[in-house]
Amino acid sequence: MTTLSRTRRQVFAALAAGALALAASVPAFAQKAEKTQLTLGVGGKPLLYYLPLTIAERKGFFKEEGLDVSINDFGGGAKSLQALIGGSVDVVTGAYEHTIRMQAKGQDIVSVIELGRYPGIVLVVQKDKAEKYKSVKDLKGAKIGVTAPGSSTNFFVNFLLAKDGLKPEDVSFVGVGGGASAVAQMKRGEIDAMSNLDPVITKLQSDGDVVVLADTRTEEGNQKIFGGTNPAAVLYMKRDFMEQNPVTVQKLVNAFYKSLKWLQTASPEDVAKVVPEEYLLGDRALYIAAVKASKPTYSLTGIIPESGMKNALGMLVEFDPELKAAKIDLPKTFDGRFVAKAAETVK
């Protein structure tokens, strides 16, 4: 590389950094977003894992920030990630783990706000087969439903299998989605076990269809499984999008931060009134129970703690050979400046 080329690159880098710093120093509401029309990808929007997204949409928080956000709901988190890489969506509400895995693949994906501090994922087995599958190590040869292959529900099972000396190839994974179809497949006995989220899990539990093997909806469950918090849903995007659209990203983060603040004081009944009717799975009382069970999972600050990042990496390394050999720069997976600004300005 010539000296002139190096100088140009340094100048461009300095200009980009200066623009980001300037945008961060001026209140977002006083600025116009670089991109007001956005496409957001998500994998299983009705799931309580993504409740902060639905709240931001239904409570009008995106519109308050001057944004017109179109939401594309895919069959699972892996598919929304593919859409981001392929360029058909601008940003994604998805699992934090994807930022780590994509860094190992040479893709610079960064999260900008934590929406869930616990995964909220639950591994259950069909009640009629509970005697056969008493623990994770008994699942060898089982047919296990996940929201979509390659999604966080899949990673969770892979991790649990690895802890008990099994490999992902020792079971069969089936994509079942995160709604009524997942419930139906478990009830019909088409799968032996399932890794999924609320309200699906609470529905199956209340109907007496399943037995729980592992539960990450509570602090106790996370401590037992991961040794602490493990970031779940986040808002993530390509780093160049973040750098080129700092005001837009700030406004997105503001909207999600408003959702987190609203959820801290909202009752499960309040949540049930806001979400679309179809999210209730035909049973409002059950949905309210599911919200109550999942309430502890949501982030209180929007900030991913260093310990949480390490726990997420530790989970992935347990079963992913590619990550064992990779050198992951964890601070690059999360940029907390936007949340810090939201905490100062959002009331």
Side-chain angles (χ1 to χ4, degrees), residues 1-322:
M1 185 185 293
T2 66
T3 302
L4 181 58
S5 296
R6 276 199 300 271
T7 302
R8 279 178 178 168
R9 287 174 65 87
Q10 289 166 352
V11 169
F12 287 143
L15 286 172
L20 194 61
L22 178 62
S25 67
V26 181
F29 63 81
Q31 300 174 274
K32 181 173 172 55
E34 302 87 357
K35 189 176 174 67
T36 56
Q37 292 190 315
L38 297 156
T39 304
L40 181 149
V42 63
K45 185 167 171 278
L47 292 167
L48 289 176
Y49 189 86
Y50 296 119
L51 181 60
L53 169 60
T54 297
I55 297 302
E57 176 196 31
R58 304 283 288 192
K59 294 288 290 181
F61 296 150
F62 292 131
K63 289 184 178 178
E64 284 181 9
E65 294 293 328
L67 301 177
D68 179 6
V69 180
S70 298
I71 300 171
N72 284 0
D73 192 3
F74 298 92
K79 294 180 181 179
S80 52
L81 172 63
Q82 289 168 7
L84 180 74
I85 300 302
S88 61
V89 301
D90 299 305
V91 297
V92 170
T93 305
Y96 167 72
E97 300 101 273
H98 292 305
T99 66
I100 297 175
R101 296 187 79 242
M102 295 313 293
Q103 188 183 124
K105 296 177 185 294
Q107 295 275 357
D108 199 355
I109 305 298
V110 59
S111 57
V112 291
I113 183 170
E114 177 189 68
L115 305 177
R117 57 182 179 147
Y118 307 147
I121 302 171
V122 184
L123 176 63
V124 296
V125 295
Q126 194 182 50
K127 190 173 183 180
D128 292 345
K129 299 176 182 178
E131 280 300 309
K132 180 179 180 181
Y133 302 120
K134 292 181 179 179
S135 66
V136 173
K137 64 184 177 184
D138 298 325
L139 290 174
K140 188 170 184 178
K143 197 173 182 180
I144 303 176
V146 294
T147 53
S151 295
S152 57
T153 51
N154 195 159
F155 296 157
F156 180 58
V157 180
N158 288 348
F159 170 67
L160 294 175
L161 291 171
K163 283 181 72 177
D164 273 328
L166 297 176
K167 299 177 181 178
E169 299 78 35
D170 290 327
V171 302
S172 298
F173 288 108
V174 181
V176 297
S181 64
V183 173
Q185 289 185 61
M186 179 59 89
K187 284 180 173 289
R188 290 196 298 262
E190 295 174 9
I191 49 179
D192 304 309
M194 182 166 66
S195 173
N196 219 300
L197 302 113
D198 273 328
V200 169
I201 295 299
T202 295
K203 169 66 174 170
L204 290 168
Q205 282 184 288
S206 66
D207 289 351
D209 295 314
V210 297
V211 173
V212 173
L213 289 187
D215 191 339
T216 67
R217 290 175 294 186
T218 64
E219 182 176 358
E220 181 184 4
N222 280 268
Q223 192 67 42
K224 180 180 177 182
I225 296 168
F226 303 117
T229 63
N230 190 332
V234 297
L235 175 67
Y236 68 75
M237 62 202 66
K238 293 179 180 178
R239 185 174 298 278
D240 60 1
F241 181 90
M242 179 190 76
E243 292 176 346
Q244 292 163 16
N245 303 279
V247 180
T248 301
V249 173
Q250 185 64 64
K251 288 177 179 293
L252 279 169
V253 170
N254 288 351
F256 278 109
Y257 190 80
K258 289 175 184 178
S259 290
L260 293 179
K261 298 296 285 184
W262 186 85
L263 282 168
Q264 285 178 24
T265 58
S267 68
E269 290 79 9
D270 293 332
V271 172
K273 291 175 185 175
V274 171
V275 302
E277 188 70 26
E278 60 268 24
Y279 285 18
L280 307 182
L281 296 177
D283 191 332
R284 180 175 293 270
L286 179 135
Y287 186 84
I288 289 171
V291 172
K292 187 175 181 181
S294 291
K295 199 91 185 290
T297 67
Y298 302 112
S299 181
L300 300 176
T301 64
I303 299 288
I304 304 177
E306 183 181 354
S307 59
M309 295 184 198
K310 289 179 178 178
N311 283 338
L313 177 60
M315 177 186 76
L316 294 170
V317 166
E318 193 75 35
F319 65 84
D320 191 330
E322 184 180 357

